[in-house]
Amino acid sequence: MIVVRRTGNEPVTARSALRMRFRLSVWGLVWTVFGTAAFAIVGRWGWALACGLLWLVVTVDLVVVVRHIRQGAHYQLGPDVPPYEPPSDRP
């Protein structure tokens, strides 16, 4: 049986996949723009409004992701930094 112990510092040393989140945001942006336009063309204004609101959310997320990417490496630890400190009491 494997026992996993929490060291308590994971949120401090956690890394985020910002590039993947950027790509997913762009993908969502493309689909929300398409959905908004398509529903507006066929006259489904409720669905067009829903897609437009989602478009706004995706755009804000994209701006936040780009801002974090541009802030540099202090938000993204390098690959040589372990995600957590190993427990000191090894069997």
Side-chain angles (χ1 to χ4, degrees):
M1 182 170 135
I2 298 175
V3 177
V4 178
R5 294 184 186 173
R6 182 176 155 83
T7 61
N9 68 347
E10 286 85 355
V12 174
T13 58
R15 289 180 270 180
S16 174
L18 289 175
R19 303 254 183 239
M20 181 181 67
R21 195 168 149 196
F22 174 77
R23 290 184 193 113
L24 289 172
S25 291
V26 169
W27 180 251
L29 187 70
V30 168
W31 277 105
T32 55
V33 169
F34 173 75
T36 303
F39 284 123
I41 289 171
V42 297
R44 298 288 200 144
W45 300 111
W47 284 104
L49 179 64
C51 284
L53 291 174
L54 190 58
W55 181 3
L56 179 66
V57 170
V58 170
T59 303
V60 169
D61 183 54
L62 190 60
V63 168
V64 169
V65 169
V66 168
R67 181 175 174 261
H68 282 188
I69 288 173
R70 288 185 180 209
Q71 282 180 339
H74 65 280
Y75 277 98
Q76 304 171 35
L77 298 175
D80 57 333
V81 177
Y84 62 90
E85 296 174 13
S88 59
D89 56 335
R90 295 191 180 245

